[in-house]
Amino acid sequence: MVGKYNEIQEMVKLPKVEMTNMCMIYDKTSGKVLVQDRIKSWKGISFPGGHIEDGESIVDSTIREIKG
């Protein structure tokens, strides 16, 4: 899907878009939410996630990012 967007972008001169994902993982039994402690580009906590690679689906990229 992202690869097709890049082809269209070149044809019509659209601005470059960088796709990302983020996923909330909630454990119903404990009531806990998984967060990630950020220390590199900025400090704080966030949900797991990252960049979607060219040609990768958002679902596949989310699974890849969660597996780490």
Side-chain angles (χ1 to χ4, degrees), residues 11-23:
M11 291 188 307
V12 295
K13 304 294 184 198
L14 296 174
K16 184 171 179 162
V17 174
E18 190 168 343
M19 302 292 289
T20 61
N21 66 50
M22 193 171 275
C23 179

Side-chain angles (χ1 to χ4, degrees), residues 31-50:
K32 293 183 179 180
V33 175
L34 178 67
V35 294
Q36 188 176 32
D37 190 15
R38 303 280 310 182
I39 56 173
K40 290 185 180 178
S41 58
W42 52 274
K43 294 185 181 191
I45 60 172
S46 70
F47 294 128

Side-chain angles (χ1 to χ4, degrees), residues 22-28 30-35 46-49 62-63 65-67:
M22 193 171 275
C23 179
M24 185 180 92
I25 301 173
Y26 174 69
D27 183 344
K28 289 180 184 178
S30 69
K32 293 183 179 180
V33 175
L34 178 67
V35 294
S46 70
F47 294 128
T62 304
I63 292 167
E65 291 290 345
I66 291 168
K67 287 183 175 181

